[in-house]
Amino acid sequence: MNEKSSSPMVKLQLFVEIPIVLNNVLSSRLPKSGTIYNMMKKYPMFHDKMKFLVVVNEDDWSGIVNQNSWIVALYSREDYGMEVSVSTPENPDVTHEIELAFETCEFLGWTNRYSFITLDLSIIMMLIRIGLLKGNSGLVNPCKMYHISENSTMGLATENDAEELLLEDSMQLDTLNSPIGVDFLVKSWKFSIDGTEEYISNILVKNNSVEIYLKETLLVGLLIPQADSWDFSTLLKNIEIKNMRNFV
């Protein structure tokens, strides 16, 4: 643990309602805070499974968010337990008080199953120390995020390109929200465990999605982004990209 300082005591304060200013702060931190930004955008659909918190000091328990705020999002998963994403200011100062706030937060559940996702390297050691202290430490795996600007995507493929590919290669489109689609996603992800099927089913029920077939073989599963959110696609690892590269 870091040595104690004279800084005021801090804690993680739970938001009763998501403030509008949260959108402004997280938007300014893109692409770095893309995961937690997505969680904020999807909060209305998953409010029963999500919590948002902000680090505040003893002089201000109101939880006002600004560019210096540490913001934490929690999502309760059926497979990996509590999924945690953290958005920090630039060059965050990991003080003893910040570390203590995470260590004592009642919502994080350090002794249960949890996973921190897409973390800034500067806070990983803090979380490892807390995990070891609680006797429930985890593995650290590298995670790379790839970002492309909206302007750069223009011209990659047109609607006519998609129609030609569908006709040329006998492709078919359908919704992914089906037992076959869920099974495809579960088997495509090497980290699937007990509960992953239920987790993916819940995600698909509340999101638009599409699956792409080529000659009756399911090749690609896509979650369709809502306005102002980032999403992902998943492909079987043995897929032949071929003409698909301009379409996906």
Side-chain angles (χ1 to χ4, degrees):
M1 301 286 282
N2 297 337
E3 293 185 4
K4 291 187 177 181
S5 69
S6 58
S7 302
M9 183 180 70
V10 299
K11 74 172 186 178
L12 280 165
Q13 176 76 30
L14 178 68
F15 283 122
V16 178
E17 295 182 1
I18 304 300
I20 296 176
V21 69
L22 188 64
N23 180 76
N24 300 333
V25 174
L26 293 179
S27 295
S28 69
R29 294 178 180 177
L30 293 175
K32 183 177 176 180
S33 294
T35 300
I36 192 170
Y37 177 84
N38 267 359
M39 295 172 76
M40 175 197 65
K41 287 294 184 180
K42 296 181 182 297
Y43 177 79
M45 291 186 288
F46 298 96
H47 62 87
D48 58 325
K49 289 181 169 291
M50 280 188 184
K51 290 183 175 68
F52 277 81
L53 306 99
V54 63
V55 174
V56 295
N57 63 49
E58 63 182 0
D59 300 323
D60 180 16
W61 294 126
S62 62
I64 296 175
V65 180
N66 56 51
Q67 290 297 336
N68 295 317
S69 297
W70 288 56
I71 302 164
V72 180
L74 313 177
Y75 181 84
S76 180
R77 293 180 55 146
E78 289 78 10
D79 50 359
Y80 283 96
M82 189 64 70
E83 184 175 87
V84 188
S85 184
V86 182
S87 175
T88 63
E90 285 295 320
N91 304 312
D93 184 14
V94 185
T95 64
H96 168 78
E97 288 73 24
I98 291 285
E99 189 163 331
L100 189 61
F102 275 83
E103 179 188 328
T104 58
C105 178
E106 62 180 302
F107 302 107
L108 288 178
W110 290 99
T111 57
N112 299 316
R113 181 175 286 179
Y114 64 85
S115 58
F116 284 83
I117 56 174
T118 54
L119 293 175
D120 187 275
L121 289 174
S122 60
I123 68 173
I124 287 178
M125 288 309 301
M126 174 189 77
L127 300 174
I128 291 175
R129 285 194 296 269
I130 297 174
L132 290 172
L133 181 66
K134 299 290 186 178
N136 190 22
S137 60
L139 299 174
V140 178
N141 293 305
C143 177
K144 294 183 179 180
M145 295 179 65
Y146 297 92
H147 169 249
I148 184 171
S149 69
E150 183 177 352
N151 290 337
S152 298
T153 63
M154 306 304 291
L156 288 179
T158 66
E159 191 171 333
N160 288 336
D161 292 331
E163 290 178 355
E164 289 177 9
L165 283 168
L166 288 172
L167 292 173
E168 176 186 343
D169 289 336
S170 301
M171 291 184 183
Q172 298 175 329
L173 300 181
D174 202 350
T175 176
L176 194 61
N177 185 22
S178 66
I180 294 176
V182 172
D183 185 65
F184 171 83
L185 293 181
V186 172
K187 291 180 178 178
S188 298
W189 191 42
K190 67 178 181 179
F191 298 108
S192 293
I193 59 174
D194 289 344
T196 298
E197 182 174 344
E198 183 180 357
Y199 163 69
I200 289 177
S201 296
N202 290 335
I203 293 292
L204 291 177
V205 165
K206 297 181 180 181
N207 286 278
N208 294 323
S209 63
V210 64
E211 54 190 13
I212 303 175
Y213 284 86
L214 176 59
K215 297 178 181 177
E216 300 184 355
T217 299
L218 178 55
L219 296 181
V220 181
L222 296 157
L223 282 178
I224 307 301
Q226 66 184 71
D228 293 331
S229 74
W230 297 13
D231 276 283
F232 64 88
S233 65
T234 181
L235 291 76
L236 284 176
K237 47 189 177 180
N238 61 346
I239 184 175
E240 288 271 342
I241 297 298
K242 200 179 159 194
N243 291 331
M244 296 283 291
R245 62 183 179 275
N246 292 323
F247 179 57
V248 177

